[in-house]
Amino acid sequence: MKNEILSVKNVTYEYQPGHPALDQISLSIGRGEKIAVMGSNGAGKSTFFLNLNGVLHPQKGEIYYQGKQVGKKDVKELRRRVGFVFQDADNQMIAATVEAEIAFGPMNLKLPREEVKERVEQALDYMDLQKYRKRPPHYLSGGEKKRVSIADIIAMKSEVILFDEPTAALDPLSADMLEKVLADLYREGKTLLISTHDVDFAYRWADRIVVFDQGKILADGGVREVFLQQRLLEQAHLKKPVLLAVYEILQRQGVIRAGSYPRTVDELAENMGGTIDE
Amino acid sequence: MHRRREHAHGAASIDYYACQSGIRHWNGCYKICFLLWALILCLILDSPGVSGFTVLIMGLLNLRGNGINFERYLQLLKIPAAFLILGSAAVILGISKEPAGDWCVSMHWFWLYVTKEGLNHALELFLKAMGAVSAMYVLALSTPASELATVLQNMHVPKLLTELMYMIYRFIFILTEVHRAMKTAAVSRLGDVDLKTSCAVFGQIGGNLLILSLKRANTYYDAMVSRCYAGEFPFWEEEKPVQIWQVLAAFVYTAVLALLRLAEEMI
C-alpha cells in the first residue's frame, strides 16, 4: 500500500495461554484513512487497539510504524504517535482539572513548560473547552467528558487516533459534535480508526471496514464491499445499514439512480431527484 | 466561577468543594504555610480570644472564600465537634466520694462534680481545637489533592510518597464510585428489604468491590500508559504567584492575634 503509516504482521496476543484474543492478525493502514473496526463483543477490537498503541505487546508478530519495526525501545514513540481515546472517558481522567488532565500526556513527553501550555491551549480551543478549563473533569457531563478525552489526545499531536466505541453512551447532540470533530481531524490528515457497533455510523463515515471475529480478521474492504455481503454480515452478527437497505428497496422499485449508494439522507434525496422537506 | 451546590457524599464532596473553591487560585504553598501558621498560633498563644478570632476568620474564609454554604459548613464542623464535646466532657466532669466543686450531682455511689475552673478550661480547649480544625478545613476545602502533592514535592518530600499519596487518593474515588454503583443496583432490586438481606448484600458488595476496583484500576493504568506514563507522575502546576496583599494580610492577621493576646494579659 502506498503511503502506509502503520501496519501489523501476524500479530498474536493471548490473555490466557491457548485462548488467543488476536490470532495472526495482519493489516496495513494508510495515512489519512478512515477505518471502522467492527465485530461483536469479545471479537478482539479493543485488544487490537491496545496493541496498536503499544500498551500491550504482541506475543508473536511485528508492528511497523512508517515502515520501521517497533522494537521494545520504540514503544514510547509508538504511544506518542498513536493516540487512544478510551470508551469510558471516566477511566481516562486522572487529573483534578480539565487543564491538568489535558497536560498529562504532553507532560509525560517531558516537553518544556511553554510547549505544554501551548498545546493545552490549542486542545482546549479545538474541543471548545475553554470555559471548563479549571473544572474537575469527573464532574462534567458525558458529552463534555468525551470532549476532554479527545482533547487529551489532540494535545499529544498523535498522527493516528484510535477511538474505542466513541458513540456509546453519548446523547444525539454529543454524537453530532463527535462527528464534526472526526471530520475536522480527517481534514487535517489524521489517520482515524474507530471501533463501533453502529453500522449506520460506519456506513456514513468510514472509507474502509475491518471486521473482527474471534480474534481474526473476517473481512477488510471498502464500505460497499463489506456491507453488500449478506453472508458475511450474518457471520459477524452485523446488520445491514438502514440507508443501504432503503436504497436497495428503492432501486428495485426503480425510483432511485442505480449505483448511487447514498451515504446520507441528503444524498438519498438528491439521487431521487428531489429534496427532503424539513 | 461556576458553582453547583447540591452534591455527592464524603470524600468526593470535599474534593468537589476544593475544585470549585473561590480561593483555589491562591498559591498552594502560601495557603499551606499561612494555614499551618494560623494553626500553630492558635495553639501556642493559648487564649480564648485568639481561638475565637481564629474560628471566626477561618469560618469567614470557608464561607466567603471557599463558597461553602452555611448549613453545609455546620454539617462539616459537626464531625470534629462531636469528638471535641466528648473529649471536653472528660475534662469538665470530676468524680469524688463526697460533694465537691461548684456544682455537683449525686450518683448514689459517688458524686459527679464540675468546677468553674474546669468548665473554663474545657471551653478554652474546645475553642482552641475548633480554631485548629477550621484552619485545616480551609486548606482541605480549597486545595485539591494533586495541588497538595505538588507543593509537597516542591518542599522536597520524596516523589515516591507524593505520588503514592495521589494514587491512593484517586483509588479511593474509584472504590467509592464502584461501591455506590453496586449499592444502587442492589437497592433497586430490593437488596435492603430487611436487615438480614442488607447484611448479606453488604458482604457481597464488599467481595465484589475488590475484584471490580482492581479491574478498574487496571483500565486506569492502561489509559495512563497509553499516554506515555512511564512510572513518574508529572503534575501540571498552574503558575499562581503569591500576591503582595496576601502576604500583608498574613502579617496583619498575626499582628491582630498578638494584640488580642496582649490585651487579654493586661485585663
Side-chain angles (χ1 to χ4, degrees), chain B residues 170-220:
Chain B
R170 271 267 84 91
F171 197 69
I172 292 173
F173 277 85
I174 304 180
L175 275 178
T176 49
E177 255 169 57
V178 173
H179 176 253
R180 196 160 55 221
M182 278 198 290
K183 198 171 163 198
T184 314
V187 169
S188 78
R189 285 177 293 156
L190 295 180
D192 60 345
V193 69
D194 55 28
L195 187 68
K196 205 179 144 210
T197 328
S198 294
C199 290
V201 162
F202 179 77
Q204 279 164 342
I205 287 180
N208 288 341
L209 195 59
L210 181 72
I211 302 166
L212 267 178
S213 51
L214 274 180
K215 264 174 91 176
R216 279 206 61 184
N218 252 334
T219 323
Y220 246 108

Side-chain angles (χ1 to χ4, degrees), chain A residues 88-158:
Chain A
D88 187 351
D90 265 321
N91 289 340
Q92 198 180 313
M93 307 286 169
I94 188 72
T97 60
V98 169
E99 207 173 35
E101 169 61 28
I102 297 172
F104 179 76
M107 291 287 278
N108 281 331
L109 298 176
K110 306 273 183 279
L111 295 170
R113 203 192 146 78
E114 282 311 305
E115 167 89 26
V116 174
K117 209 171 163 191
E118 203 183 301
R119 286 188 179 202
V120 170
E121 289 301 326
Q122 280 171 1
L124 284 170
D125 284 335
Y126 199 99
M127 295 310 297
D128 194 18
L129 285 165
Q130 282 290 359
K131 64 178 172 187
Y132 303 109
R133 60 185 304 161
K134 302 281 184 206
R135 298 261 299 273
H138 292 91
Y139 300 105
L140 296 176
S141 75
E144 289 158 0
K145 275 188 224 175
K146 190 49 107 192
R147 267 150 68 192
V148 174
S149 66
I150 298 172
D152 282 352
I153 303 307
I154 287 173
M156 296 188 73
K157 302 208 167 161
S158 309

Side-chain angles (χ1 to χ4, degrees), chain A residues 53 55 76 79-80 86 90-97 99-101 103-105 107-109 113 116-117 134-136 138-139 152 156, chain B residues 1-2 4 7 12 15-16 19 24 144 146 166 170 173 216 219-220 222-229 232-239:
Chain A
N53 169 245
V55 171
K76 195 177 165 196
R79 287 177 193 155
R80 185 171 84 75
F86 279 71
D90 265 321
N91 289 340
Q92 198 180 313
M93 307 286 169
I94 188 72
T97 60
E99 207 173 35
E101 169 61 28
F104 179 76
M107 291 287 278
N108 281 331
L109 298 176
R113 203 192 146 78
V116 174
K117 209 171 163 191
K134 302 281 184 206
R135 298 261 299 273
H138 292 91
Y139 300 105
D152 282 352
M156 296 188 73
Chain B
M1 174 163 273
H2 179 93
R4 237 165 49 184
H7 231 276
D15 184 70
Y16 183 77
C19 286
R24 216 188 117 188
S146 61
Y166 188 66
R170 271 267 84 91
F173 277 85
R216 279 206 61 184
T219 323
Y220 246 108
D222 279 349
M224 281 165 70
V225 167
S226 85
R227 281 199 282 157
C228 297
Y229 171 74
E232 198 175 289
F233 213 114
F235 293 101
W236 167 254
E237 197 189 347
E238 296 160 47
E239 271 164 10

